[in-house]
Amino acid sequence: MSILEEISTLLQQGRAPKVKELVAQAIEEGISPKEVLEEGLLSGMSIIGEKFKNNEVYVPEVLIAARAMNAGVEILKPYLVSQGIEAKGLVVLGTVKGDLHDIGKNLVKMMMEGKGLKVVDLGVDVSAESFVEAAKEYNADIIACSALLTTTMGEMKEVVEKVKASGLGNSVKVMVGGAPVTQSFCESIGADYYTSDAASASDVALKVCVG
Ligand code: B1M
C-alpha cells in the first residue's frame, strides 16, 4: 500500500494521530502537499462520504473521520499557506445558515490565505444578515458562502438579496460553492462567482481583489 493509500485508509478509520504522523512523513518523503491533500485526505473523505450515503457508516464514524481530516490538514497548512505577505484583499467566509459542514469551507480559507488574502471566518450556520454585517464591518471585497446540503443552498439567495438591499452590491462580490452548488444555480440566484473546489475559489478570489 502506498503512503497516500495508507493516509486515506487511516482517515476512514478516524485515526487522527496516525494520519498526522503519515502526512508529515509523506511531506518529508517529498510528496507534494497538494497530492497528500487530494490523493490521501480528500480521497479518504470521499470514500467515507459514499459509505455514509449507503448507510454503511453513520454520523459518529463520519465525525471521527472529519476530525482525522482536520488533523491532517493542520500539518499541511504551513506548506499550503504562504506567510508574512501583505493582504491583497479581504474575504468574509462562512457556511450558510442551517448548515454545519465546515471541512470544505476550512480548505477554502486555507487556500485563500495561501494567496495572500485576509479571511474573516464567520464559522458555520451563518445567517445572511451576519454575512452582510461582517462585510460592512470589515470593508470586504468578497462574501464567500459554502453549503453542503440541498436544503441549505437556498440561503445563498438570501445572501445575494441582502447584499443588494444593503447597497453593498457595487463593492462586494458574492462567491458560492460546495458540493450541491453549480454554475447554473449561481446564475439563477444572481451570485457573482461559482467555483467547484477550494483552489479555484482562491484563484478567482485573488483575481477579484487584484484584477
Ligand atoms: Co453530512 N451530508 N450531514 N455531515 N456529510 C453530506 C453533505 C451528504 C452529501 C452525505 C450523503 O448523504 N451522501 C448529505 C447531504 C445530502 C444533500 O443535501 N443532498 C449529508 C447529510 C444528509 C447530513 C445530515 C443531514 C445527516 C443527518 O444528520 N441525518 C447532517 C446535517 C447537519 C447540518 O449541517 N445541519 C450531516 C452531518 C454531517 C457531520 C456533522 C457528521 C459531518 C460534518 C463535519 C464537519 O464538517 N465538521 C458530515 C460530513 C463530513 C459529510 C460528508 C461525508 C463529507 C463532507 C466533507 O467534508 N467533504 C458529506 C458527503 C460527501 O461530501 N461525500 C456529507 C470533504 C470536503 C473537502 O468537501 O465540503 O464538498 P466539500 O468541499 C469541497 C467543494 O465542495 C468545495 O471545495 C472543497 C474541495 O476543495 N467548496 C467550495 C466547499 N465550499 C466552497 C465554497 C466556495 C468554493 C468551493 O466558494 C465560496
Side-chain angles (χ1 to χ4, degrees):
M1 199 191 281
S2 78
I3 189 161
L4 295 179
E5 285 165 343
E6 237 179 299
I7 290 171
S8 164
T9 305
L10 289 164
L11 182 143
Q12 293 166 55
Q13 295 165 348
R15 295 172 62 191
K18 265 311 242 185
V19 167
K20 272 169 112 168
E21 191 186 312
L22 283 204
V23 166
Q25 190 186 323
I27 296 290
E28 256 169 46
E29 286 177 11
I31 302 175
S32 77
K34 188 168 177 281
E35 262 180 284
V36 177
L37 178 67
E38 287 174 2
E39 288 166 38
L41 299 172
L42 287 178
S43 138
M45 203 62 207
S46 122
I47 295 170
I48 275 288
E50 271 307 297
K51 290 188 172 165
F52 188 37
K53 188 163 117 191
N54 300 328
N55 291 322
E56 291 168 47
V57 298
Y58 299 95
V59 171
E61 287 98 323
V62 179
L63 270 179
I64 57 163
R67 212 171 295 150
M69 166 96 196
N70 283 330
V73 166
E74 270 308 305
I75 301 291
L76 285 184
K77 199 170 173 182
Y79 301 93
L80 294 168
V81 174
S82 43
Q83 324 239 324
I85 34 181
E86 205 181 312
K88 293 175 178 151
L90 193 138
V91 182
V92 163
L93 170 71
T95 303
V96 298
K97 190 170 156 189
D99 200 324
L100 304 175
H101 295 85
D102 68 357
I103 298 174
K105 170 195 64 75
N106 294 343
L107 279 178
V108 170
K109 178 181 180 189
M110 204 168 71
M111 298 286 181
M112 285 184 173
E113 287 177 342
K115 296 274 177 185
L117 298 164
K118 182 162 171 48
V119 179
V120 175
D121 184 357
L122 303 180
V124 296
D125 194 18
V126 180
S127 68
E129 291 82 2
S130 303
F131 276 113
V132 171
E133 277 164 25
K136 278 185 187 156
E137 182 183 344
Y138 295 99
N139 196 15
D141 301 289
I142 297 171
I143 290 176
C145 307
S146 178
L148 262 287
L149 298 171
T150 44
T151 49
T152 58
M153 59 197 271
E155 273 299 314
M156 292 172 163
K157 187 162 187 265
E158 284 288 310
V159 176
V160 171
E161 282 170 4
K162 290 260 173 345
V163 167
K164 275 189 195 143
S166 71
L168 279 176
N170 292 328
S171 56
V172 177
K173 300 289 179 203
V174 178
M175 288 182 64
V176 293
V181 181
T182 59
Q183 178 64 38
S184 66
F185 175 76
C186 167
E187 286 164 20
S188 75
I189 63 168
D192 297 295
Y193 301 98
Y194 159 76
T195 50
S196 62
D197 60 78
S200 323
S202 66
D203 287 340
V204 169
L206 184 64
K207 261 194 208 133
V208 171
C209 292
V210 301

